[in-house]
Amino acid sequence: MEIGLQFLMLFNKKNIIENELSIQIFKDGFSFCTHFSKKFILFKEIDIKFNDVFKKFLEENAYQGFDRVTTVFIDQPATFVPSKIYNEKNTELYLSQNIPLNPLLQISREFTKDGEIVVLYESNKHKEDTLKHYFNDIHFTHFSVILYNLIQQVALTNEKTEMYINMQNSQFDLLVFNSGKLIFYNSFPHKNEEDFLYYTLAMAEQYSLDTDLYSINFLGKYTRFNSYYEALKNYQKKIEFTELEALDSLDLDNHPAPYFFNLMA
């Protein structure tokens, strides 16, 4: 069952338009996405550093001079802390309870648009400083903040409990909302359909979700994950998609997080 037009209209995803640049940083590479071009490049080929190679990459592809530039960190996990209990003095403690802290990275902090959640994550200061050098006006954010803000607006209109899934090549991000309130958020690794089903069904069982009452909403529909959608149909009755199936392209196929392929934060 695919999603209806009303839901699509409510899901307020902003696509990249002319004179906008979205830079997305992954563990093994980065993507520069514009209205006309989307490129994913491995760090072993070009790294985001103060050097002639990266400068030449920017110049040859005319990446400077955009009206709006946003960098989205998709390389590190995030920890969500309810703002009501957040204490800035415990920032490192919150994050270290979920991941081993990397001394080479800095801790970044953001607030969700509704002010309910403090989002903590590690980021690479050297890459930030490099991008700030080449782009005068640039905004940095974490992908989980974008997901939360988009989904929360839609979840407010639904009194039922619903699960939202963002598929990536090596992980998937799972959020559970009830009446606009976040119940659960985490990212899980996957190599195949069995991994995906294990984590998804375990979360549904943990929160006693009735398959007859709640729906699983995928953020976008992509050919590479068709076997995952089909596998889930054996256990879940209500499966919906926030967008119609994207047109296949070589650039999209190479992008590690396809929902962000054409998204502007």
Side-chain angles (χ1 to χ4, degrees):
M1 176 174 63
E2 296 196 7
I3 197 67
L5 181 59
Q6 183 179 5
F7 191 91
L8 287 170
M9 293 172 64
L10 288 172
F11 215 86
N12 192 27
K13 177 183 177 183
K14 185 182 184 301
N15 289 330
I16 299 169
I17 61 174
E18 194 171 352
N19 292 323
E20 291 184 338
L21 170 64
S22 175
I23 303 170
Q24 299 147 17
I25 298 179
F26 299 89
K27 287 185 179 297
D28 59 347
F30 63 95
S31 180
F32 271 53
C33 296
T34 71
H35 182 58
F36 302 105
S37 173
K38 281 88 174 169
K39 292 186 177 182
F40 175 73
I41 296 145
L42 293 170
F43 284 134
K44 65 182 180 181
E45 298 173 0
I46 300 174
D47 203 347
I48 301 176
K49 292 182 176 181
F50 290 110
N51 57 32
D52 292 337
V53 175
F54 185 62
K55 181 180 179 182
K56 183 179 179 182
F57 164 76
L58 295 176
E59 292 173 347
E60 288 184 345
N61 291 279
Y63 281 132
Q64 293 172 285
F66 284 86
D67 295 336
R68 187 163 177 246
V69 182
T70 296
T71 296
V72 182
F73 290 107
I74 315 182
D75 58 333
Q76 300 294 332
T79 294
F80 280 22
V81 183
S83 57
K84 292 180 180 179
I85 65 170
Y86 176 73
N87 185 330
E88 187 174 356
K89 295 179 180 179
N90 295 329
T91 294
E92 286 192 8
L93 177 62
Y94 295 134
L95 198 54
S96 65
Q97 289 178 337
N98 289 331
I99 61 169
L101 297 181
N102 186 336
L104 300 178
L105 301 178
Q106 66 180 0
I107 296 178
S108 296
R109 180 183 68 178
E110 290 186 66
F111 292 86
T112 55
K113 189 177 293 184
D114 62 3
E116 293 291 324
I117 304 293
V118 179
V119 181
L120 305 173
Y121 58 96
E122 292 183 310
S123 61
N124 189 309
K125 188 176 186 301
H126 296 298
K127 286 183 169 51
E128 281 194 26
D129 289 343
T130 300
L131 292 171
K132 286 177 181 177
H133 173 77
Y134 290 108
F135 300 96
N136 294 327
D137 187 12
I138 185 169
H139 170 65
F140 297 89
T141 188
H142 193 267
F143 81 96
S144 65
V145 178
I146 299 172
L147 294 182
Y148 177 94
N149 289 339
L150 282 171
I151 296 170
Q152 192 269 340
Q153 293 180 42
V154 173
L156 279 171
T157 67
N158 195 335
E159 296 181 357
K160 297 184 297 183
T161 300
E162 293 198 318
M163 183 182 293
Y164 296 84
I165 295 176
N166 174 53
M167 298 297 301
Q168 301 187 45
N169 278 356
S170 59
Q171 72 177 48
F172 68 96
D173 315 297
L174 191 155
L175 301 91
V176 179
F177 279 84
N178 180 271
S179 301
K181 296 294 184 181
L182 181 69
I183 298 175
F184 175 85
Y185 161 73
N186 206 349
S187 298
F188 300 101
H190 71 86
K191 293 182 179 179
N192 50 44
E193 297 86 345
E194 287 74 21
D195 293 341
F196 170 72
L197 288 175
Y198 172 80
Y199 291 113
T200 304
L201 298 178
M203 292 313 306
E205 181 177 355
Q206 179 176 336
Y207 288 95
S208 302
L209 301 181
D210 188 335
T211 58
D212 291 325
L213 300 178
Y214 89 103
S215 64
I216 294 180
N217 304 285
F218 284 96
L219 275 64
K221 184 179 182 183
Y222 305 97
T223 302
R224 76 183 81 168
F225 300 121
N226 276 346
S227 60
Y228 287 67
Y229 310 142
E230 290 300 318
L232 188 59
K233 285 182 180 179
N234 295 321
Y235 303 92
Q236 175 65 27
K237 295 181 179 180
K238 301 175 70 174
I239 300 174
E240 301 181 337
F241 301 88
T242 63
E243 296 178 11
L244 299 177
E245 187 164 7
L247 295 175
D248 290 332
S249 73
L250 182 60
D251 289 337
L252 176 59
D253 290 343
N254 291 332
H255 198 283
Y259 187 70
F260 288 82
F261 178 74
N262 196 37
L263 186 152
M264 190 65 188

